Amino acid sequence: MALAHIWLPRPRVLRYLAVRIAQVIPTVIAIVVLNFFFLRLAPGDLAEVIAGEAGSATPEYMALLRQQFGLDQSVWVQFVNYVKQLAQLNLGYSFRNSMPVLDLILSRVPNTAVLMLSSLLLAVSLGILFGAVSAHWRGRWPDAVLSAVSTVGFATPLFWVGLMLIVLFSVELRWLPAGGMYDLEHDLTGFARIADVARHMVLPVLSLAFFYIAIYTRLTRSAMLEVQELDFVRTARAKGLHPVRIALRHVLRNALLPIVTMTGLQLGTLLSGSVVIETVFAWPGMGRLAFDAVFQRDLNLLLGVLFFSSFLVIVANLLTDFVYAILDPRIEIR
Amino acid sequence: MLLAAGAVAATGVVLSRPLSAEPGRADTIPARGGTLVALLDPEPAGLVAGISISAPAVAVSANVFDGLVEYGDDFALRPSLAESWESSADGTQILFRLRKDVSWHDGKPFTSSDVQYSLLEVTKKTHPRGNAVFANLIDVEVPDPHTAVLRFSRASPVVWAAFNGTEVQILPRHLYEGTNPLTNAWNAKPVGTGAFVFREWVRGERIVLERNPSYWDKGRPYLDRIVFRTVRDAGSRAAALETGEAQYGVMNPVSLAEAQRLRGSSTLTVQTRGFEGPAPLYFFDFNLRRKPFQDIRVRQAFAHAIDRDVLAKTVWYGFAKPASGPIPSYQSQIYAADTPQYRFDPQKAEALLDEAGVKRGADGVRLRIDHVPVPYGEDYLRAAEYYRQALKRIGVELTIRNFDLPAYLRVIFTNYDFDTHSAWYSAYPDPQIGVQRRYWSQTIKKGTPSSNATGVADPAIDAVIEKIQIEDNVDKRRALIREFQRLAQQEVPSINLLELTFFRVYASRLKGVDLGPFGSYQSLKTVWFGA
């Protein structure tokens, strides 16, 4: 099949995309409003956290902090200010980190992206491979082994996997670093630095992928089993095509559709999984930034991270729909 | 004790600078060089402890800034930025003679004008406790660049417990004057006079400090670099220390169970000294706004029902000692031993409850109440579990309510929505800083964390606390502090449970670690890597 045929967007696809983008706008507004008001339902504010960390404080100091953070104004004034800021693409200032929110987020995005995309790539490729193997030898020993492994992977908490990998590979075997993103004692540059980051990535990527490999294995397996029963596969078999060709061209390609959907949706959950992994491995990413912001009631930062992540998830969903529309011409615009 | 130090200062005796801050290590010659990787948690809000105070902020800041003085063993004052000091007979004036050869990391000279600005504009205005501790400070005069004279409206002996670099930090006036100190950009890239120069702060990753080549304390520091890494997970911190990826964990870097295990390690030291200054004291609060606890017999009954030995040995893995009052016993200059005690005695507890009219119902339960432990980790939750079991024996049913830190602060210090509560506060070397806030009616201040949560307003306790604040005769003040401890134990608005033993964990090859009372909050300028 000619690639150009797939990748030249046709008017139908473009129109579909335009409608989807228009649908996204109310979603973004809803996210902004809900985030702002829901986050205020959590008891406690940044001034209390900062005074709590200091061990004690006087009421005058608390008032000074609240005035500083704008917490002495009414919620509505705060909301109007927030929307005004947002309209200028200003995500505000993180008082807990003494830094603008956007700078904080931008400094963390690449770190999380490299972790998430590597895990996703590993999970998707291994998941599809395992799923295909499972489906092919359905009911035989490779299927049994992989099913057992994926059930365990599915049921094991991420943080536990992370800690166990640290205990085995860092503390006992001393093969890999226990945390962080690079060696802090030596200033490495060039290739040595890339290799160093790669070494630091092994355990977090494995832990994060562990759960998702299980998901993709199961998904691929059931999708392939379903497609195998369809008429066109029977036709292909009847034509006497090579079984491997059938498995790859006819079965797997069609089974990929739900996997594409899943991958798009997974981006959001992957982000939440990275909170745990980034905490366990001291990985300086977005997940940990959000995690800390919650516990410190750093609302400006948390709103910024949520807005940014919602935006990413929306874009990912759009892309998923787009790819889906290209892959399956039967998808109609609604 | 600081009161003694204050007395020394009051007579105008100048303490000589000690030759070595590492007693018993005179035979070892400090080696220069090396990068120390230290663990921090959580990430500090700013790196200037005079403005944003928290244990991790202080751990970094103490290396970049110096205080006017330091505290040596037994809380004796040692010179730092101030070479000597004297206090007027009535205690209303304190004169500091400052070191002349000190400059800020940006090259500008350090002068008395920096001290004047820091005390009046920073400590008194933007320090969480500064305006309370320095309430009577009316002016700082600077007759010459190396002399600062503090003038007080009346004697304030408490200030002698605050001149070290964590409570009073001297900031560069030329970078702060005319700005709002709370939002000054230099808070995130500090310029100090200290042994290490700030290099970079990558949020969520590392804070890097480098040796100050022109530090006034000649020959120090020994390390080339300190890299503070923020690691949020306790298990990961333990792993980093065990693998040698990090060589220093600031304050309780690992869980108590891990600490107990690491005590047997040949490569790591679990050091419990260095926390006598902050002096963490763990207690059990009653909400005196609620009826059953207004009866002293109920409070006494609870005190008799909790076995503090079990708490110290089992729940705290031995990293604690039963407390006998609101001031820890190692602060021997002010500690009172002859105070009322409540030995473990469930029968007596039951008798007291019967007497108070809190009788067992048909189901054997006398009282159903809740308990909110401070959310600093599993140890405090485990302790709450113990209270639940111990109190069940005397017919009190306890429900544990667990929150995250901000919600906890709101529930306890703003809404006062609890029956009982357990937490620790730093007692600090002077009760006026750390202890009175638990007992003084003036510290019932809605919305203020770590203040008087019980709501105790006892005229006798108030009277003695208010006398402590203004008594400038050291012996009389000490007697008043003893009287205060007796009253606090007698009225039990809060049960004093444990003197917590905090700890640092570091590589055993690390030498010269400061073991003084504020060692955990001191600079690492005395530290070097041994063989």
Side-chain angles (χ1 to χ4, degrees):
Chain A
M1 186 181 301
L3 275 178
H5 171 66
I6 293 180
W7 290 109
L8 272 183
R10 286 151 294 179
R12 183 186 67 86
V13 174
L14 285 180
R15 200 151 43 96
Y16 175 76
L17 199 65
V19 172
R20 291 288 287 113
I21 289 175
Q23 286 170 341
V24 155
I25 292 169
T27 314
V28 172
I29 294 174
I31 286 170
V32 167
V33 175
L34 289 179
N35 278 350
F36 186 87
F37 289 99
F38 274 151
L39 289 186
R40 271 163 182 74
L41 293 180
D45 65 25
L46 180 60
E48 280 165 303
V49 173
I50 287 185
E53 286 176 347
S56 71
T58 58
E60 294 79 13
Y61 178 74
M62 300 290 294
L64 191 72
L65 286 184
R66 290 217 167 87
Q67 187 200 347
Q68 192 64 56
F69 305 156
L71 292 169
D72 53 343
Q73 294 165 324
S74 78
V75 176
W76 290 105
V77 173
Q78 291 182 44
F79 180 66
V80 170
N81 288 342
Y82 173 63
V83 173
K84 272 189 200 161
Q85 263 183 12
L86 213 54
Q88 298 160 24
L89 289 181
N90 177 358
L91 293 184
Y93 192 80
S94 163
F95 292 100
R96 181 61 180 66
N97 289 279
S98 335
M99 220 178 154
V101 168
L102 190 63
D103 294 358
L104 272 170
I105 292 178
L106 291 181
S107 70
R108 299 295 186 89
V109 167
N111 300 349
T112 294
V114 73
L115 196 63
M116 272 175 48
L117 294 178
S118 316
S119 307
L120 198 63
L121 202 69
L122 185 69
V124 170
S125 42
L126 282 183
I128 290 177
L129 177 70
F130 291 165
V133 167
S134 253
H136 194 79
W137 281 283
R138 179 188 187 180
R140 312 258 288 279
W141 70 265
D143 184 28
V145 169
L146 286 169
S147 290
V149 170
S150 69
T151 307
V152 170
F154 200 71
T156 313
L158 275 179
F159 76 90
W160 190 83
V161 174
L163 285 176
M164 286 307 114
L165 288 178
I166 290 177
V167 167
L168 180 61
F169 290 104
S170 305
V171 178
E172 292 301 325
L173 297 173
R174 310 236 161 177
W175 288 353
L176 291 162
M181 196 168 162
Y182 26 71
D183 187 335
L184 296 174
E185 278 175 74
H186 313 97
D187 277 323
L188 298 171
T189 49
F191 183 73
R193 187 176 173 90
I194 295 171
D196 182 45
V197 171
R199 252 166 56 79
H200 281 81
M201 274 175 64
V202 174
L203 295 184
V205 165
L206 273 181
S207 323
L208 192 54
F210 196 60
F211 175 77
Y212 295 96
I213 290 172
I215 290 187
Y216 287 115
T217 303
R218 301 173 81 161
L219 198 68
T220 309
R221 180 179 180 274
S222 60
M224 282 187 70
L225 288 178
E226 202 178 304
V227 177
Q228 269 172 13
E229 304 302 317
L230 297 179
D231 289 343
F232 73 93
V233 178
R234 205 168 302 152
T235 312
R237 263 194 219 115
K239 281 198 293 183
L241 287 180
H242 192 274
V244 172
R245 193 176 155 83
I246 296 173
L248 293 181
R249 288 293 298 272
H250 293 75
V251 180
L252 186 59
R253 181 158 183 268
N254 284 285
L256 278 181
L257 280 176
I259 291 169
V260 169
T261 319
M262 194 60 177
T263 310
L265 292 175
Q266 284 298 319
L267 223 63
T269 48
L270 204 59
L271 209 63
S272 62
S274 71
V275 173
V276 178
I277 291 302
E278 286 175 7
T279 303
V280 171
F281 288 97
W283 188 268
M286 285 261 280
R288 200 152 61 89
L289 193 66
F291 182 78
D292 288 346
V294 172
F295 286 101
Q296 292 156 350
R297 295 294 188 270
D298 191 344
L299 291 193
N300 284 353
L301 178 56
L302 195 53
L303 283 171
V305 172
L306 288 178
F307 181 75
F308 204 88
S309 328
S310 322
F311 184 75
L312 281 187
V313 169
I314 287 171
V315 170
N317 285 348
L318 270 181
L319 282 177
T320 312
D321 290 350
F322 189 56
V323 172
Y324 211 103
I326 291 170
L327 278 181
D328 190 343
R330 289 168 303 178
I331 308 262
E332 289 295 328
I333 305 150
R334 281 173 222 276
Chain B
M1 186 64 250
L2 289 181
L3 297 160
V8 170
T11 55
V13 176
V14 177
L15 295 174
S16 64
R17 202 175 103 63
L19 292 171
S20 165
E22 304 91 39
R25 296 204 185 277
D27 54 331
T28 330
I29 296 154
R32 296 175 74 88
T35 296
L36 176 72
V37 178
L39 297 174
L40 271 195
D41 175 58
E43 179 143 45
L47 302 183
V48 178
I51 287 164
S52 63
I53 301 191
S54 63
V58 173
V60 177
S61 205
N63 295 291
V64 180
F65 293 92
D66 295 308
L68 285 169
V69 298
E70 290 175 9
Y71 296 110
D73 286 346
D74 293 327
F75 298 91
L77 293 187
R78 293 197 305 224
S80 185
L81 284 177
E83 269 178 325
S84 65
W85 45 86
E86 47 199 71
S87 185
S88 68
D90 65 352
T92 59
Q93 279 198 29
I94 298 172
L95 180 147
F96 283 103
R97 287 194 193 85
L98 307 176
R99 215 171 274 286
K100 294 191 175 68
D101 52 347
V102 180
S103 56
W104 294 100
H105 292 159
D106 63 2
K108 300 269 192 316
F110 158 77
T111 70
S112 53
S113 145
D114 296 311
V115 176
Q116 182 187 43
Y117 175 80
S118 301
L119 276 166
L120 295 178
E121 298 299 318
V122 180
T123 305
K124 270 203 80 155
K125 290 186 181 164
T126 63
H127 187 288
R129 303 177 271 275
N131 64 343
V133 174
F134 284 89
N136 303 326
L137 176 69
I138 44 180
D139 200 12
V140 177
E141 286 160 10
V142 283
D144 68 68
H146 304 290
T147 308
V149 183
L150 280 55
R151 293 210 300 114
F152 295 85
S153 56
R154 61 183 181 201
S156 297
V158 61
V159 298
W160 285 107
F163 283 129
N164 62 332
T166 62
E167 294 289 304
V168 172
Q169 202 163 35
I170 307 302
L171 303 184
R173 180 177 200 146
H174 62 280
L175 299 178
Y176 279 82
E177 191 162 36
T179 71
N180 176 351
L182 278 177
T183 53
N184 190 306
W186 294 103
N187 294 345
K189 42 180 180 175
V191 172
T193 58
F196 292 89
V197 179
F198 170 79
R199 188 57 58 210
E200 66 169 346
W201 180 10
V202 183
R203 304 299 193 289
E205 245 176 85
R206 62 181 187 272
I207 296 164
V208 181
L209 309 180
E210 278 168 8
R211 172 211 301 279
N212 176 2
S214 46
Y215 189 50
W216 55 264
D217 196 351
K218 297 292 173 234
R220 286 175 176 163
Y222 306 118
L223 297 167
D224 286 339
R225 248 172 27 133
I226 309 175
V227 179
F228 289 95
R229 257 181 69 185
T230 37
V231 178
R232 295 305 321 262
D233 184 82
S236 310
R237 288 195 293 273
L241 288 162
E242 282 200 84
T243 57
E245 280 173 44
Q247 304 91 33
Y248 187 85
V250 177
M251 185 172 118
N252 287 23
V254 302
S255 70
L256 295 177
E258 291 265 24
Q260 199 190 33
R261 182 173 67 81
L262 294 181
R263 272 187 157 170
S265 158
S266 56
T267 54
L268 292 173
T269 300
V270 177
Q271 180 57 258
T272 55
R273 289 187 57 196
F275 294 93
E276 296 82 357
L281 200 114
Y282 178 69
F283 54 83
F284 184 103
D285 267 353
F286 300 100
N287 188 350
L288 299 177
R289 296 163 195 85
R290 299 197 172 167
K291 194 137 193 327
F293 309 116
Q294 288 162 4
D295 191 319
I296 189 170
R297 289 166 298 191
V298 173
R299 306 198 297 267
Q300 288 169 336
F302 275 59
H304 281 297
I306 296 172
D307 189 339
R308 288 165 304 146
D309 281 319
V310 168
L311 211 53
K313 286 186 190 127
T314 309
V315 181
W316 251 271
Y317 292 88
F319 283 94
K321 188 183 157 204
S324 63
I327 289 173
S329 57
Y330 48 76
Q331 296 189 341
S332 51
Q333 306 272 355
I334 50 168
Y335 169 72
D338 55 341
T339 53
Q341 297 299 318
Y342 304 89
R343 64 175 203 294
F344 178 57
D345 187 348
Q347 268 100 44
K348 188 165 183 195
E350 295 225 53
L352 280 162
L353 287 173
D354 283 336
E355 215 179 289
V358 185
K359 299 228 170 15
R360 281 185 189 264
D363 55 355
V365 177
R366 298 171 186 271
L367 207 55
R368 287 194 164 79
I369 55 170
D370 68 23
H371 182 79
V372 182
V374 67
Y376 287 166
E378 56 177 305
D379 311 325
Y380 304 93
L381 203 56
R382 219 170 37 234
E385 295 287 351
Y386 167 74
Y387 305 140
R388 199 163 57 82
Q389 286 172 21
L391 293 169
K392 201 176 175 121
R393 276 180 75 173
I394 61 163
V396 175
E397 200 124 284
L398 204 75
T399 314
I400 298 166
R401 290 162 70 209
N402 202 13
F403 301 98
D404 76 340
L405 181 67
Y408 156 84
L409 293 170
R410 184 62 63 88
V411 164
I412 301 295
F413 299 105
T414 304
N415 301 338
Y416 301 127
D417 173 26
F418 66 97
D419 294 319
T420 60
H421 155 237
S422 55
W424 65 267
Y425 289 178
S426 284
Y428 292 115
D430 191 296
Q432 209 179 317
I433 300 179
V435 183
Q436 74 172 20
R437 57 180 160 163
R438 283 176 56 204
Y439 293 94
W440 191 25
S441 65
Q442 296 301 307
T443 52
I444 305 173
K445 288 185 170 161
K446 227 178 160 61
T448 308
S450 314
S451 56
N452 178 342
T454 57
V456 55
D458 183 295
I461 295 181
D462 276 0
V464 72
I465 284 176
E466 282 153 29
K467 278 186 209 154
I468 290 169
Q469 291 166 356
I470 53 168
E471 179 56 65
D472 58 344
N473 178 296
V474 173
D475 290 327
K476 283 187 190 156
R477 189 166 185 263
R478 219 174 268 167
L480 287 168
I481 293 172
R482 295 222 167 86
E483 171 64 10
F484 158 73
Q485 293 170 72
R486 202 183 57 73
L487 280 172
Q489 279 299 96
Q490 183 188 304
E491 297 300 321
V492 275
S494 173
I495 309 170
N496 294 298
L497 294 172
L498 301 174
E499 299 168 4
L500 297 184
T501 308
F502 284 175
F503 56 89
R504 290 175 278 178
V505 179
Y506 48 80
S508 300
R509 69 193 173 106
L510 218 55
K511 307 293 176 196
V513 174
D514 190 331
L515 301 182
F518 277 95
S520 57
Y521 283 173
Q522 291 280 49
S523 139
L524 296 167
K525 68 181 182 183
T526 56
V527 168
W528 80 90
F529 280 108

